[in-house]
Amino acid sequence: MEKQNSEKKTVETASQTPEQTEQVREDLVETGSITSKGRHNIQCLTVIGQIEGHYVLPDQNKTTKYEHMLPQLVAIEHDPEIEGLLLLLNTVGGDVEAGLAIAEMIAGMSKPTVSLVLGGGHSIGVPLAVSTKCSFIVPSATMTIHPVRMSGLVLGVPQTFSYFERMQERIVDFVIDHSRITKERFMELTMKTGEMAMDVGSIVDGQTAVNEGLIHRLGGLSDAITELYAMIDAQKESENKNQ
């Protein structure tokens, strides 16, 4: 059996040209993206470190660039060979508008999508985690929920605070629309005092995130892939019935 598997892997590797192999390596290094060909062809995307928006972050920062993510999501939706998307998250958050843009793109996809929070899905990582049709979180992961904030020079005028309030509403509405948590409870967690030093908000672990209705299920990689396969099978069955 092991010999057969070894021969199969050898054949699959040999079928790729050196240019194709190099392209796969470059995609993985540059964008954290790879197409996995098993029972179903799925695309794996990663959101790691800090989500980079309109300003380039220092080279020593681990970043996810939204100008890389958006075209990839278009390609995944458009490619008939890719049947589903697995989104892996380990992010501290980052640019709010860039994160929301990515989340809206994922939420608008017609193909099956599953997210898995590993390590952390903090700040704007929360909307990203709930943007898929089904979300998972490992027991050891955490999610930080807090109000919108901005560093650097901020004008202390009513218009600025109104802008922050409207942005916060956009985030809250998205999370509520794509999860099972109520708006009242989400706002309680957002404005909670005494849990974070010098800040307001909450840090929830994997089981708590599921209990609160923020994430669908507790599980790991195999659980996420199994669910994604099941969603792909269900979609194919539905399409065959409608033909």
Side-chain angles (χ1 to χ4, degrees), residues 156-226:
V157 294
Q159 292 89 336
T160 299
F161 298 105
S162 177
Y163 171 74
F164 280 0
E165 184 177 1
R166 293 197 304 271
M167 184 176 289
Q168 182 68 46
E169 289 175 357
R170 290 161 57 195
I171 296 171
V172 172
D173 289 344
F174 184 91
V175 173
I176 301 309
D177 290 342
H178 295 87
S179 69
R180 295 174 289 109
I181 194 170
T182 64
K183 185 172 185 178
E184 292 73 20
R185 180 54 181 162
F186 188 74
M187 291 306 300
E188 285 180 14
L189 294 173
T190 301
M191 305 306 296
K192 188 175 181 180
T193 59
E195 187 165 326
M196 299 174 64
M198 301 179 67
D199 200 356
V200 296
S202 303
I203 301 175
V204 297
D205 59 22
Q207 186 63 64
T208 304
V210 174
N211 293 343
E212 294 285 358
L214 194 59
I215 299 295
H216 289 115
R217 302 178 192 174
L218 195 71
L221 180 59
S222 62
D223 301 302
I225 292 178
T226 299

Side-chain angles (χ1 to χ4, degrees), residues 1-184:
M1 187 68 176
E2 292 180 358
K3 183 178 180 181
Q4 291 177 348
N5 291 337
S6 177
E7 290 176 352
K8 183 178 179 182
K9 290 179 181 177
T10 303
V11 171
E12 289 177 347
T13 304
S15 65
Q16 286 188 332
T17 66
E19 292 78 9
Q20 289 174 325
T21 303
E22 179 64 20
Q23 185 60 51
V24 169
R25 189 192 70 81
E26 289 181 2
D27 289 344
L28 186 59
V29 171
E30 293 296 326
T31 65
S33 170
I34 190 170
T35 302
S36 176
K37 297 183 178 181
R39 182 159 65 89
H40 291 298
N41 294 343
I42 62 174
Q43 185 79 15
C44 175
L45 289 181
T46 58
V47 177
I48 61 170
Q50 193 165 351
I51 299 168
E52 187 176 272
H54 303 301
Y55 297 97
V56 178
L57 295 173
D59 291 337
Q60 65 266 24
N61 288 33
K62 288 282 187 179
T63 61
T64 296
K65 301 178 184 295
Y66 82 106
E67 68 268 26
H68 288 172
M69 291 288 290
L70 299 186
Q72 287 185 83
L73 292 170
V74 173
I76 294 168
E77 177 70 8
H78 183 68
D79 191 340
E81 293 188 359
I82 298 176
E83 300 169 276
L85 169 66
L86 176 64
L87 185 70
L88 304 180
L89 294 107
N90 186 9
T91 176
V92 296
D95 188 280
V96 172
E97 291 191 345
L100 272 181
I102 298 170
E104 288 284 10
M105 287 281 285
I106 296 171
M109 296 180 71
S110 62
K111 294 184 178 181
T113 55
V114 171
S115 64
L116 175 61
V117 181
L118 302 159
H122 305 297
S123 191
I124 199 62
V126 175
L128 284 166
V130 305
S131 65
T132 55
K133 294 177 175 64
C134 185
S135 56
F136 284 83
I137 187 170
V138 297
S140 62
T142 57
M143 304 182 77
T144 304
I145 305 167
H146 61 73
V148 171
R149 54 199 178 188
M150 186 176 294
S151 60
L153 179 63
V154 177
L155 294 177
V157 294
Q159 292 89 336
T160 299
F161 298 105
S162 177
Y163 171 74
F164 280 0
E165 184 177 1
R166 293 197 304 271
M167 184 176 289
Q168 182 68 46
E169 289 175 357
R170 290 161 57 195
I171 296 171
V172 172
D173 289 344
F174 184 91
V175 173
I176 301 309
D177 290 342
H178 295 87
S179 69
R180 295 174 289 109
I181 194 170
T182 64
K183 185 172 185 178
E184 292 73 20

